[in-house]
């Protein structure tokens, strides 16, 4: 393992300290381990809290700021945060109008956020939970853990964040978040595994000509192993999987997301292929975003996310946002 | 079981998990995200420290304190699951410095019920339930047959180990491993493996 770290055990804490130093507009509680807008809590504003394991940066800490999250709770690398942490962040952003938890559908995240929401309710804070489960590579079924939350998390956080910023009520902010999730689908390919600092070795090994199809964002193997093919074909397969799973007639939001180890030169190439294929399939793109946003440490790979967008979603997508990881109009 | 033995159990469990952290992490890397050993090791190290700082006076409080510590230190799926299991087990015990094997039967079943309620896993879903369920049943049967704590704990440990091994051919339906679909077949579940270690620790100190 070659990484710019001091000690594998201190990576999350030291990275948070660095984030705090680089962004004085954020407040980082290094004791309880959460990141919050410096002006929190804002009276009368619905608070938006998200979190999950570390290693997905800029998600979630990089999305704290006006127009998006009020707080983020990072756990250890790829490990969900604990209830105490989530509760502390929830209290820190509660301005009396309630708090929305954006939770990716992983057993650990779901359980820890659920326990935190119960503790918050005991303290008189109303919490609504928006569960993100957009990954179409996983079969959905009530008998399993269901689909994972991946790229659509960014869309949910941006759009629900904008709704909260303009004064939306608790139920409204949660409703638009759920609507975005329901309208979204994602699919990912990995060229390499990521390496967690604690493990010190890649989660899986791939021969030079093979890739993992249908991976999540935690370095876990995907649904199946395939031969590497030209980007054009991989993009088509990924989009076919998404278009088969849910109905997309357009206009859509399209996120071309790198998993941490794939350079922008490839991501733009992928965007070109994706936009051409969507045009062929008669799906118009309303807005697009290209970059490394929902990552899996240093995994080389990419995910595509489509969201069937309403006018309201597009309006909220365009609303000003000012965070370390996403910034426009403000 | 008296309060000293309960503390020794937690210390032995911490030792076993530290010794096998690498194995747990490797099992989790195969079908999960490779953090199970690291997570539990962090949690049980904190449990030992918490029990030393303010030693509880009842067996119930040992388990409740251990559970609360795991819940607030581990994260992941296993933190809330082991945390609520130990807390529910502790709450099912009479508030005494010493408890009887029959009390522990009820406590083990209360813990199992908490796991099922929180995670919704059924037997055969390839989770720690597949080790915990058989262990609780074996413990109960041994006690019903007149076994003492050592005998019942030994039976539970053997049943947990067999249950963990029996997860190998299963396809995961809960937790991270379920994302792999059929590819989860052929690997032993890390959570069931750590559960077997915890029951073996009980047998070792009894
Ligand atoms: N619903 C469930 N019920 C019971 N046990 C479960 C359930 N889901 C997962 N587990 C157990 O948890 C173990 C994995 O624990 P671990 O600490 O690695 O959590 P994780 O899934 O990696 O958490 P996170 O999602 O935060 O990374 C599995 O091996 C399995 O035994
Ligand atoms: Mg794990």
């Amino acid at each position: 393992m070659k990484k710019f770290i001091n000690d594998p055990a201190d990576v999350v804490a030291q990275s948070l300290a660095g984030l705090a130093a680089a962004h004085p507009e954020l407040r980082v509680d290094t004791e309880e381990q959460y990141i919050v807008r410096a002006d929190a809590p804002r009276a009368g504003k619905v608070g938006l809290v998200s979190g999950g394991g570390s290693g997905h940066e800029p998600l979630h800490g990089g999305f704290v700021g006006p127009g998006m999250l009020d707080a983020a709770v990072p756990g250890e690398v790829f490990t969900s945060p604990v209830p105490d942490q989530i509760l502390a962040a929830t209290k820190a952003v509660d301005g009396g109008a309630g708090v929305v938890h954006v939770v990716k559908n992983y057993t650990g995240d779901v359980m820890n956020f659920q326990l935190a929401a119960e503790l918050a309710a005991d303290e008189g804070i109303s919490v609504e939970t928006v569960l993100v489960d957009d990954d179409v590579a996983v079969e959905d079924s009530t008998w399993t853990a269901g689909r994972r939350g991946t790229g659509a998390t960014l869309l949910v956080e941006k759009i629900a964040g904008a709704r909260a910023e303009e004064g939306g009520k608790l139920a409204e902010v949660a409703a638009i978040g759920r609507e975005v999730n329901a309208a979204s689908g994602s699919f990912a390919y990995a060229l390499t595994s990521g390496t967690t600092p604690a493990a010190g070795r890649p989660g899986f090994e791939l021969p030079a000509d093979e890739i993992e199809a249908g991976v999540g964002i935690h370095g876990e193997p995907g649904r199946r192993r395939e031969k590497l093919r030209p980007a054009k074909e991989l993009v088509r397969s990924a989009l076919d999987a998404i278009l088969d799973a849910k109905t997309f007639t357009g206009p859509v939001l399209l996120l071309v997301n790198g998993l941490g180890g794939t350079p922008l030169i490839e991501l733009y190439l992928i965007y070109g292929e994706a936009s051409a294929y969507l045009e062929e399939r008669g799906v118009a793109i309303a807005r697009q975003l290209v970059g490394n946003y929902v990552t899996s440490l240093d995994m080389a790979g990419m995910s595509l996310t489509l969201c069937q967008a309403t006018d309201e979603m597009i309006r909220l997508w365009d609303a000003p946002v000012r965070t370390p990881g996403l910034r426009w109009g403000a | 079981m008296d309060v000293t033995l309960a503390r020794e159990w937690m210390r032995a469990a911490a030792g076993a998990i530290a010794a096998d952290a690498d194995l747990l992490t490797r099992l989790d890397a195969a079908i999960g995200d490779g953090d199970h050993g690291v997570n539990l090791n962090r949690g049980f190290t904190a449990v030992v420290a918490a029990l030393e700082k303010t030693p509880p006076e009842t067996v119930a409080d040992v388990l409740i304190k251990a559970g609360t510590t795991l819940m607030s230190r581990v994260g992941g799926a296993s933190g809330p699951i082991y945390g609520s299991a130990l807390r529910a087990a502790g709450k099912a015990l009479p508030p005494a410095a010493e408890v009887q094997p029959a009390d522990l039967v009820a406590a083990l079943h209360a813990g199992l019920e908490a796991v099922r309620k929180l995670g919704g896993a059924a037997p055969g879903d390839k989770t720690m339930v597949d080790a915990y369920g058989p262990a609780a049943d074996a413990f109960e049967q041994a006690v019903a047959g007149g076994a003492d704590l050592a005998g019942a704990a030994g039976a539970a440990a053997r049943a947990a180990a067999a249950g963990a091994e029996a997860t190998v051919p299963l396809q995961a339906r809960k937790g991270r491993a379920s994302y792999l679909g059929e590819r989860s077949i052929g690997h032993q579940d890390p959570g069931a493996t750590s559960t077997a270690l915890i029951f073996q620790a009980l047998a070792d100190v009894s």
Side-chain angles (χ1 to χ4, degrees), chain A residues 125-149:
Chain A
I125 303 173
S126 311
V127 175
E128 285 277 343
T129 300
V130 174
L131 201 62
V132 184
D133 61 349
D134 55 308
D135 178 20
V136 305
V138 174
E139 293 298 320
D140 201 6
S141 144
T142 49
W143 302 107
T144 66
R147 288 177 163 156
R148 301 173 282 215

Side-chain angles (χ1 to χ4, degrees), chain A residues 280-300:
Chain A
E280 207 179 302
R281 295 279 306 248
V283 179
I285 300 169
R287 298 290 184 274
Q288 63 282 354
L289 185 66
V290 181
N292 285 285
Y293 291 104
V294 183
T295 62
S296 186
L297 291 172
D298 49 353
M299 174 179 267

Side-chain angles (χ1 to χ4, degrees), chain A residues 76-84 105-109 111-112 114-115 137-138 142-148 196 198-199 201 203 212-214 218-225, chain B residues 22 25-26 29-35 38-39 42 68 70-81 84 115 118-120 125 172-176 178-183:
Chain A
E76 293 300 316
V77 173
F78 291 170
T79 298
S80 65
V82 298
D84 306 23
N105 188 33
Y106 297 97
T107 307
D109 286 337
M111 288 177 181
N112 286 284
Q114 182 192 322
L115 292 169
V138 174
T142 49
W143 302 107
T144 66
R147 288 177 163 156
R148 301 173 282 215
T196 63
R201 53 179 180 256
E212 284 278 341
H218 297 90
E220 65 271 57
R223 296 292 291 188
R224 55 183 185 274
R225 201 162 269 201
Chain B
D22 216 48
T25 288
R26 254 185 296 123
I31 56 170
D33 55 353
D35 62 354
V38 179
N39 287 351
R42 181 176 61 246
T68 306
L70 290 180
M71 211 178 255
S72 61
R73 294 302 291 274
V74 175
S78 50
I81 292 173
S84 51
V115 172
L118 185 63
D125 283 352
R173 281 192 292 257
K174 283 285 186 281
R176 237 175 235 299
S178 69
Y179 305 136
L180 272 74
E182 287 178 0
R183 284 179 89 183

Side-chain angles (χ1 to χ4, degrees), chain A residues 175-189:
Chain A
I176 190 83
R178 290 183 189 124
E179 216 182 302
V180 171
N181 175 59
S184 298
S186 301
F187 193 94
Y189 279 108

Side-chain angles (χ1 to χ4, degrees), chain A residues 40-320:
Chain A
R42 300 213 308 161
K45 178 187 176 295
V46 170
L48 206 61
V49 177
S50 189
S54 292
H56 309 304
E57 292 72 19
L59 189 86
H60 300 272
F63 298 147
V64 176
M68 216 160 162
L69 298 177
D70 292 275
V73 225
E76 293 300 316
V77 173
F78 291 170
T79 298
S80 65
V82 298
D84 306 23
Q85 244 181 303
I86 303 167
L87 176 65
T90 303
K91 283 156 77 170
V93 305
D94 175 40
V99 175
V100 170
H101 286 171
V102 178
V103 183
K104 300 190 294 311
N105 188 33
Y106 297 97
T107 307
D109 286 337
V110 170
M111 288 177 181
N112 286 284
F113 269 93
Q114 182 192 322
L115 292 169
E118 286 166 13
L119 295 172
D122 289 347
E123 303 204 16
I125 303 173
S126 311
V127 175
E128 285 277 343
T129 300
V130 174
L131 201 62
V132 184
D133 61 349
D134 55 308
D135 178 20
V136 305
V138 174
E139 293 298 320
D140 201 6
S141 144
T142 49
W143 302 107
T144 66
R147 288 177 163 156
R148 301 173 282 215
T150 59
T153 316
L154 179 147
L155 310 183
V156 171
E157 291 176 2
K158 169 67 186 79
I159 290 172
R163 189 76 187 91
E165 197 68 50
E166 67 180 19
K169 293 196 172 41
L170 180 60
E172 294 165 347
V173 175
I176 190 83
R178 290 183 189 124
E179 216 182 302
V180 171
N181 175 59
S184 298
S186 301
F187 193 94
Y189 279 108
L191 306 181
T192 67
S193 164
T195 300
T196 63
R201 53 179 180 256
F204 53 82
E205 297 283 356
L206 276 173
D209 62 338
E210 288 186 12
I211 62 174
E212 284 278 341
V215 292
I217 52 174
H218 297 90
E220 65 271 57
R223 296 292 291 188
R224 55 183 185 274
R225 201 162 269 201
E226 296 178 359
K227 288 283 176 214
L228 179 61
R229 290 176 284 153
K232 186 189 199 89
E233 289 174 31
L234 292 176
V235 166
R236 285 171 174 244
S237 296
L239 286 173
D240 282 339
I242 300 170
L243 295 169
D244 284 349
K246 287 186 181 177
T247 310
F248 295 91
T249 52
V252 295
L253 302 175
L254 169 58
L255 168 64
V256 172
N257 176 58
L259 293 177
T262 289
L264 273 174
I265 186 172
E266 291 171 39
L267 295 181
Y268 278 114
L269 186 155
I270 289 164
Y271 182 81
E273 296 294 352
S275 56
Y277 186 52
L278 285 175
E279 188 179 341
E280 207 179 302
R281 295 279 306 248
V283 179
I285 300 169
R287 298 290 184 274
Q288 63 282 354
L289 185 66
V290 181
N292 285 285
Y293 291 104
V294 183
T295 62
S296 186
L297 291 172
D298 49 353
M299 174 179 267
M302 63 87 170
S303 67
L304 299 178
T305 300
L306 294 183
C307 172
Q308 173 72 30
T310 61
D311 290 346
E312 174 74 347
M313 289 179 201
I314 293 170
R315 180 182 73 77
L316 292 166
W317 178 258
D318 289 341

